[in-house]
Amino acid sequence: MARPRSATPRRYLMCPPAHFTVRYSLNPWMDPAKPVDTPLAQAQWEQLREVYRSLGHTVAELAPVPGLPDMVFTANGATVADGRVFGARFAHPEREPEAQAHLEWFAAHGYGHLHLPVHINEGEGDLAVTDSLLLAGRGFRTNPLAHGEAQEFFGRPVIGLELVDPRFYHLDLALAVLDDAAGEVAYYPPAFSPGSREVLRRLFPHALVAAEEDALAFGLNAVSDGLHVVLPQAAAGLFGPLRERGFEPVGVDVSELHRGGGSVKCCSLELRG
Ligand code: ARG
């Protein structure tokens, strides 16, 4: 039985893919030998921004920096909740300068509570926020010690989750928060260690469990406002189960950005509070 759903207006920080390309490989999706169509990526990104605006959300923009091709993936640059900003620290030197660009943006936009991270964490790539919890990925990028650091900063209990499949190197590729108030999620169990799968099963017994083909289509790299779930349209198998739960799936095509190993959620850093 579908429960009643309601959307709340959101704010997202996005960065146009003006300098997006694949010239190094940080994950199995990135192949520097395959050319990237940057104007196509830009057009798809603009459509995603338009979808957010048409749903009543606000999009703030981070200026793209030449030489930082992954900057379009703003979700990795920080984690924001209750107006407090937990800065990122990237695992790879190629992306390191992005963290500073984010911190400068937040400082210039009136965010007073800025945390300079001690341990490596790749922002919302590995930290999923609900009203009562932080779900935190580890195994590929984010240092497990960053989990405790985030718990202390946000005052929300952290549930650490071990990622085991390199195709799902960030938590936001394997798990999506569908309702942050009620704490409802969708996830792909094989992306997690056996113990973490068991943790997810206990915490979210009614979760939407994604099939491999939908997870591989970046279907869990989704953004929800509590009602609308914006996700890659190719993840067709998720649409029915989302509707059954009372959500409205909104399919988009950001396939050119998939060449970098990211999709809808990776391009959208939620500015909570
Ligand atoms: N090329 C980027 C990397 O490997 C993609 C990041 C995708 N972002 C995300 N939130 N999963 O770091």
Side-chain angles (χ1 to χ4, degrees):
M1 244 264 292
R3 47 181 289 155
R5 302 287 173 186
S6 62
T8 51
R10 310 284 171 137
R11 280 191 85 208
Y12 301 112
L13 181 64
M14 297 180 73
C15 175
H19 309 293
F20 175 65
T21 187
V22 177
R23 60 171 163 74
Y24 48 75
S25 181
L26 309 182
N27 66 60
W29 305 93
M30 298 175 85
D31 181 354
K34 288 198 188 132
V36 165
D37 185 339
T38 304
L40 176 60
Q42 176 75 30
Q44 292 176 340
W45 179 89
E46 285 171 14
Q47 278 172 17
L48 175 62
R49 185 181 58 181
E50 193 43 44
V51 165
Y52 289 140
R53 288 180 175 159
S54 71
L55 294 173
H57 305 313
T58 311
V59 176
E61 270 181 48
L62 179 64
V65 176
L68 296 179
D70 275 327
M71 213 172 156
V72 61
F73 302 119
T74 50
N76 303 138
T79 304
V80 186
D82 310 317
R84 296 162 61 85
V85 182
F86 188 70
R89 203 170 147 187
F90 286 85
H92 298 99
E94 291 89 338
R95 298 197 66 187
E96 211 178 82
E98 293 179 43
Q100 187 58 29
H102 272 81
L103 284 177
E104 284 168 13
W105 187 91
F106 284 106
H109 288 79
Y111 287 81
H113 293 282
L114 297 179
H115 176 81
L116 295 178
V118 178
H119 303 289
I120 285 171
N121 86 81
E122 295 205 344
E124 285 202 336
D126 278 322
L127 283 176
V129 182
T130 75
D131 286 4
S132 56
L133 290 177
L134 288 174
L135 303 173
R138 59 170 185 246
F140 294 101
R141 303 284 180 92
T142 293
N143 183 330
L145 291 172
H147 294 183
E149 197 184 342
Q151 171 167 291
E152 194 57 34
F153 183 69
F154 288 117
R156 283 174 169 82
V158 164
I159 307 293
L161 298 166
E162 185 82 16
L163 296 162
V164 295
D165 181 335
R167 297 171 302 174
F168 305 101
Y169 57 92
H170 271 150
L171 180 66
D172 70 359
L173 302 171
L175 181 145
V177 175
L178 300 176
D179 184 331
D180 44 13
E184 285 182 53
V185 305
Y187 68 101
Y188 175 58
F192 297 92
S193 68
S196 294
R197 258 180 252 171
E198 188 62 15
V199 167
L200 287 166
R201 203 185 56 76
R202 285 174 196 271
L203 269 181
F204 307 107
H206 307 296
L208 195 172
V209 171
E212 182 180 31
E213 56 178 357
D214 295 314
L216 288 173
F218 291 95
L220 293 166
N221 203 239
V223 170
S224 176
D225 64 13
L227 170 64
H228 311 98
V229 179
V230 183
L231 79 170
Q233 65 194 21
L238 290 174
F239 284 54
L242 284 169
R243 288 195 184 102
E244 278 162 29
R245 285 169 166 75
F247 296 104
E248 285 180 24
V250 180
V252 295
D253 178 9
V254 288
S255 50
E256 201 58 17
L257 292 163
H258 293 181
R259 293 166 179 274
S263 189
V264 174
K265 166 66 212 157
C266 302
C267 297
S268 321
L269 174 63
E270 186 167 347
L271 305 173
R272 299 181 188 81

